[in-house]
DNA sequence: CAGCGGGCATTGTCCAGTCAATGCGAATGG
DNA sequence: CCATTCGCATTGACTGGACAATGCCCGCTG
């Protein structure tokens, strides 16, 4: 037969075989994969080669390696992330984040770290808030946890001059909600623009959110506006893909009538 | 002094250094990175090690390797992906997809491949459409291109019994839009539920969309309902993260009870 | 001048090893 | 019986090679 062209590289076959077994349920979430040594034998390859195959799966987010224990099929526990909920009528006692989770009905314990500081605008915030020149911004940085594990990052930017001396600046949970604080300051938020970017995380996000390799994130940027279409607040959420489903609901503007507006 | 613990592995330093240079603009998009040989010299490491560093950046989607040419900083050209637009009033002459692009105002040429087939429901579609037993589904599979490059995948599922013999089944562009076809069949779609999952692509998605390594995708699942909250259609969009921004707009449901309009 | 073909730089795949780090569990000592 | 230590299996980091594949460029040929 001589040199039958085997085309697909060995490490690919390792990855493909394992991926198929994970997909069809042969290897359920949480189960341990063969060790590198076992794979070496099975594929008659060196450790380097089988490691390459495993690395591919790690980068696809399908498996994780726990250092001296082995490789395991990844388990995911997505929670529902519902940007619109923020605009719904709500019990004003509950913080929005807590309320979101309450919807789930499971007993997971949310908590958050809040940190308020003053920063110079970046290009991100600068043109979304249509800032004049180097006006300063107040930023409320929140990292939110469930059962002690970080779940997402939520940084809100507003013009410092607007919220100076207000409750907005206090690094604690604001019971009535920061949106209410802004409304009380004469800037009720009635419109929002959501932008969602899907990408791999930056190194600092990896550490802040304890992300495993192969975990993409959604960068969810919300710009909120007043009646008069004045942008007031930019919120940047970093939402790990392995822990969230983003959910929106929509209704048609016009039930089949042409032109006619019937809200 | 003596043996200062150098802690971070060499390949990490390679990745970190290059990442920083990309971030601060020293290495602009499209520019060529040092060759592996050059990096070997700079870091006094073997090729394996510098390759590990480069591989990390590839998996982050920051760089691409063009086989015998070298590694290059990745260029991205995101287009706006606006799920809601589908529900807006529109010139019925234009296909939705074409219209989306028209908004951009740039001269990129859209095209699409349409394929209609009949399938058994998967768990995905089965419970979203609340199907009775093994009712068959019609699926319109579309792959959409811009300037010949694949941009996203769009598969729509409806009950076969509903659309049999209708225009829905013809694998060509339906001028008035498939939503209109469904409306004409007595199922006007007025509500939609959007779910967005962020993950790494499956191998078949990689090939269908010609995805580079390190490119995550959004799986955007839309379930559309009639007045009576009957689910009619499930659409699964696969949206590559490097080529899209997903955009939503929201208005507050109740402007504190009076003040009717906000456009 | 157009077309072809071969050299070549560069990345892709793979081999055969070494030593380090780490968490678990068994052996050990009080 | 409990706490501590230590062996060990397993993955992580890295060395130093080899040969294959592939676009590009340049020189040759008609």
């Amino acid at each position: 037969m001589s040199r039958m062209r085997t085309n697909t590289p060995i490490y690919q076959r390792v990855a493909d075989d394992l991926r198929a077994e994970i997909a069809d349920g042969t290897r359920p979430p949480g189960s341990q994969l063969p060790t590198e040594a076992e794979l070496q034998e099975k594929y008659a390859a060196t450790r380097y080669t089988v490691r390459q195959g495993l690395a591919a799966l790690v980068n696809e987010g399908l498996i994780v390696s726990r250092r001296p224990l082995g490789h395991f099929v990844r388990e995911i526990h997505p929670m529902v992330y519902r940007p619109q909920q923020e605009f719904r009528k709500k019990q004003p006692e509950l913080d929005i984040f807590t309320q979101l989770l309450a919807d789930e009905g499971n007993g997971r314990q949310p908590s958050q770290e809040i940190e308020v500081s003053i920063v110079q605008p970046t290009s991100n915030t600068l043109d979304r808030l249509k800032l004049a020149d180097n006006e300063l911004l107040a930023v409320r940085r929140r990292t939110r946890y469930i059962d002690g594990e970080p779940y997402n990052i939520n940084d809100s930017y507003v013009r410092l001059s607007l919220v100076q001396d207000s409750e907005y600046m206090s690094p604690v949970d604001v019971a009535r909600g920061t949106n209410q604080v802004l409304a009380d300051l004469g800037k009720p938020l009635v419109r929002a623009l959501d932008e969602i970017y899907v990408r791999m995380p930056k190194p600092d996000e990896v550490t802040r959110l304890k992300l495993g390799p192969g975990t993409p994130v959604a960068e969810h940027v919300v710009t909120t506006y007043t009646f008069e279409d004045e942008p007031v607040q930019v919120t940047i959420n970093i939402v790990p893909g392995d822990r969230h489903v983003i959910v929106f609901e929509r209704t048609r503007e016009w039930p089949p009538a042409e032109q006619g507006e019937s809200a």
Side-chain angles (χ1 to χ4, degrees), chain A:
Chain A
M1 285 303 90
S2 72
R3 289 287 303 140
M4 148 89 170
R5 282 192 34 114
T6 186
N7 250 343
T8 60
I10 303 176
Y11 80 92
Q12 269 293 349
R13 290 218 309 275
V14 176
D16 290 348
D17 291 353
L18 290 173
R19 195 189 296 106
E21 290 171 10
I22 292 169
D24 72 16
T26 312
R27 302 189 177 280
S31 63
Q32 182 169 6
L33 297 174
T35 66
E36 296 175 355
E38 287 165 352
L39 290 172
Q40 278 185 62
E41 188 162 0
K42 174 169 180 188
Y43 290 93
T46 58
R47 197 170 152 225
Y48 169 85
T49 304
V50 303
R51 273 178 75 78
Q52 222 180 184
L54 290 168
L57 297 181
V58 168
N59 285 321
E60 288 171 32
L62 281 180
I63 67 176
V64 293
S65 114
R66 296 217 290 275
R67 176 72 107 104
L69 304 185
H71 288 89
F72 296 82
V73 181
R74 188 153 176 185
E75 307 179 79
I76 57 171
H77 310 286
M79 72 170 266
V80 176
Y81 174 81
R82 208 175 318 211
Q84 282 174 125
Q85 217 65 344
E86 202 178 331
F87 264 16
R88 291 279 153 81
K89 44 178 162 289
K90 59 168 178 114
Q91 315 89 304
E93 294 314 305
L94 284 168
D95 175 66
I96 292 151
F97 180 57
T98 318
Q99 185 196 353
L100 271 185
L101 276 175
D103 290 358
E104 303 288 84
N106 44 23
R108 298 196 264 182
Q109 270 304 321
S111 65
Q112 54 182 337
E113 282 171 10
I114 304 179
E115 178 195 312
V116 179
S117 50
I118 296 169
V119 296
Q120 290 200 317
T122 61
S123 67
N124 246 349
T125 46
L126 191 113
D127 43 64
R128 268 181 261 260
L129 287 177
K130 295 189 193 125
L131 294 178
D133 40 6
N134 268 7
E135 212 175 342
L136 290 180
L137 293 178
V139 51
R140 277 176 74 89
R141 289 185 208 280
R142 286 190 289 179
T143 308
R144 323 214 259 202
Y145 299 82
I146 295 181
D147 292 340
E149 287 300 295
Y151 251 66
N152 62 50
I153 294 177
N154 173 273
D155 296 348
S156 293
Y157 300 81
V158 290
R159 291 201 312 283
L160 178 60
S161 55
L162 182 61
V163 294
Q164 219 158 15
D165 310 318
S166 83
E167 230 178 323
Y168 198 95
M169 301 299 290
S170 73
V172 293
D173 192 27
V174 178
R176 54 193 175 136
T178 49
N179 281 3
Q180 190 56 48
V181 173
L182 291 173
D184 294 350
L185 288 166
K187 304 289 182 187
L189 305 176
V190 295
R191 275 200 332 114
L193 182 70
D194 296 279
E195 299 164 67
I196 299 174
Y197 300 85
V198 176
R199 57 169 173 80
M200 296 310 282
K202 299 175 191 149
D204 66 292
E205 293 162 349
V206 171
T207 57
R208 265 180 89 180
L209 290 168
K210 287 199 201 139
L211 298 177
T215 307
V217 298
E219 179 175 335
H220 173 214
V221 183
V222 190
T223 315
T224 34
Y225 299 84
T226 61
F227 276 151
E228 298 81 20
D229 282 341
E230 178 198 350
V232 172
Q233 182 177 233
V234 170
T235 303
I236 301 180
N237 301 276
I238 304 296
V239 180
D242 63 339
R243 328 216 243 256
H244 292 275
V245 198
I246 304 174
V247 175
F248 278 87
E249 283 171 63
R250 289 139 53 193
T251 332
R252 190 160 218 154
E253 280 87 349
W254 48 215
E258 314 289 305
Q259 304 285 55
E261 283 299 338
S262 50

